[in-house]
Amino acid sequence: MASPVPRFLPCGDTAVTIEFGTEIDNAVNALCLAFDEALKAAAIPGVIETLPTYRSVLVQVDPLVIDMPAFEARVHAILDGLKQSGAPPRRWTIPVVYGGAFGIDLEDVARAHGITTEEVIRRHASRTYRVAMLGFLPGFCYLSGADPSIALPRRTSPRLKTPAGTVSIGGVQALFASVEAPSGWHLLGRTPVRNFMPDRDPVFLVGAGDEVVFQPIAESEWDALDRAAAAGEQVAVLAS
């Protein structure tokens, strides 16, 4: 593939953001994830940690081991030989109880767009989402591919606490959360899936580059699935 021309944005003297684009774009995100994997595989002395996002990769470096010009040269060498995986992404089906106490903003979203709550659910659950990154808190899945017809700006007054497993939208993004957290997003539903369990193997179930499909379920199914997930079962279904 042709070598991209990234921007190197210093973040103090021990980190740099390598930016590949300025928009939420699946091709740019795929490039970020491929570069992140290649950079880790290169095991460059002085590289401490990498954090891929929608459109960039933050790299923490030790300036006493490698200086920035030398690091940039290594990055360009990696990019010149970069190959993205041709393997299909993993696809997860995530059960969701929509509305009511599980999705307290569903009716407001429907009202804002002049459609029924059933139509909001249909549009939200009919998409195949790409997990662009994990961020903010452990296991939070930021998703591209949301239906723009139900998009809403984030709330003007964020909530100080939203439940673990919240499935929400904010602007053109979608999310399913892993732990209880503050949020200014619109809560459509909730999944029993625990994407982050520090005592489970794997600790993170769904990862960046995976695909997600949401499956509406009845509230009556929640308790059994929630108990199973709490016991360490993955609950989410991985396509074979």
Side-chain angles (χ1 to χ4, degrees):
M1 60 180 293
S3 175
V5 181
R7 296 175 66 204
F8 288 79
L9 307 174
C11 302
D13 59 359
T14 61
V16 59
T17 293
I18 303 172
E19 184 181 76
F20 293 95
T22 58
E23 305 291 336
I24 295 177
D25 179 271
N26 282 348
V28 171
N29 182 245
L31 176 59
C32 289
L33 298 182
F35 169 71
D36 179 63
E37 289 299 321
L39 182 59
K40 287 187 288 191
I44 299 172
V47 171
I48 299 169
E49 185 178 15
T50 64
L51 298 170
T53 72
Y54 276 108
R55 55 188 181 85
S56 64
V57 179
L58 175 70
V59 185
Q60 184 182 3
V61 297
D62 183 345
L64 299 180
V65 177
I66 186 169
D67 62 28
M68 197 52 62
F71 174 70
E72 289 190 17
R74 294 293 299 270
V75 167
H76 285 295
I78 290 172
L79 292 173
D80 285 342
L82 187 63
K83 291 182 174 60
Q84 296 186 38
S85 172
R90 300 188 302 174
R91 178 175 293 187
W92 298 91
T93 298
I94 306 293
V96 179
V97 178
Y98 284 92
F102 293 86
I104 57 178
D105 294 322
L106 178 63
E107 291 187 1
D108 288 341
V109 172
R111 190 177 303 112
H113 292 290
I115 57 179
T116 64
T117 55
E118 290 78 12
E119 180 62 14
V120 173
I121 295 169
R122 188 195 68 79
R123 295 184 191 186
H124 184 265
S126 65
R127 311 286 285 193
T128 297
Y129 299 87
R130 173 184 172 84
V131 182
M133 67 177 187
L134 303 185
F136 181 49
L137 288 169
F140 268 49
C141 285
Y142 286 81
L143 311 173
S144 61
D147 189 332
S149 72
I150 58 171
L152 279 181
R154 297 185 189 186
R155 291 171 49 86
T156 55
S157 299
R159 295 183 175 96
L160 297 180
K161 185 184 296 185
T162 59
T166 291
V167 175
S168 57
I169 58 173
V172 296
Q173 299 177 85
L175 170 83
F176 84 89
S178 52
V179 297
E180 183 182 280
S183 177
W185 294 44
H186 303 278
L187 314 184
L188 300 184
R190 192 176 171 202
T191 178
V193 173
R194 269 72 163 172
N195 198 45
F196 169 68
M197 292 187 76
D199 297 326
R200 180 187 61 197
D201 184 18
V203 172
F204 298 102
L205 194 62
V206 181
D210 290 353
E211 291 181 341
V212 164
V213 176
F214 293 117
Q215 180 181 38
I217 61 171
E219 183 177 343
S220 60
E221 299 180 62
W222 174 267
D223 286 344
L225 288 173
D226 190 49
R227 285 195 299 270
E233 296 183 29
Q234 68 181 34
V235 177
V237 177
L238 181 60
S240 56

